[in-house]
């Protein structure tokens, strides 16, 4: 049954890696992410700036690591 709720949780190891990633590492990851999205979705790829999105996620990951929490998302 699909109730329309999605939950996405990042493993602690990935959360810590994002929290400690350098700007250069985030740039490289965003480039790889964009390449993969383009290969999967072609012209329908998101218009969002993936580097900005990834840097925001990295800031959230740093906050999660500093407070002993986790990083997850949900939507309806």
């Amino acid at each position: 049954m699909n109730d329309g709720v999605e939950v996405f949780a990042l493993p602690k190891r990935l959360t810590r890696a994002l929290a400690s990633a350098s700007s250069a590492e985030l740039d490289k990851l965003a480039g790889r992410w964009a390449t993969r999205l383009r290969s999967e979705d072609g012209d329908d790829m998101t218009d969002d700036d993936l580097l900005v999105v990834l840097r925001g996620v990295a800031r959230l990951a740093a906050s999660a690591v500093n407070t002993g929490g986790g990083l997850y998302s949900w939507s309806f």
Side-chain angles (χ1 to χ4, degrees), residues 27-48:
D27 287 350
K28 184 177 177 181
L29 182 57
R32 288 178 36 210
W33 187 17
T35 299
R36 181 158 184 180
L37 283 174
R38 279 188 193 96
S39 73
E40 297 280 329
D41 297 332
D43 292 335
D44 292 333
M45 189 181 109
T46 179
D47 290 332
D48 293 329

Side-chain angles (χ1 to χ4, degrees), residues 5-38:
V5 176
E6 301 169 17
V7 177
F8 180 75
L10 272 67
K12 287 186 180 197
R13 181 176 172 198
L14 178 56
T15 302
R16 287 191 305 269
L18 285 170
S20 64
S22 68
S23 290
E25 290 169 324
L26 291 174
D27 287 350
K28 184 177 177 181
L29 182 57
R32 288 178 36 210
W33 187 17
T35 299
R36 181 158 184 180
L37 283 174
R38 279 188 193 96

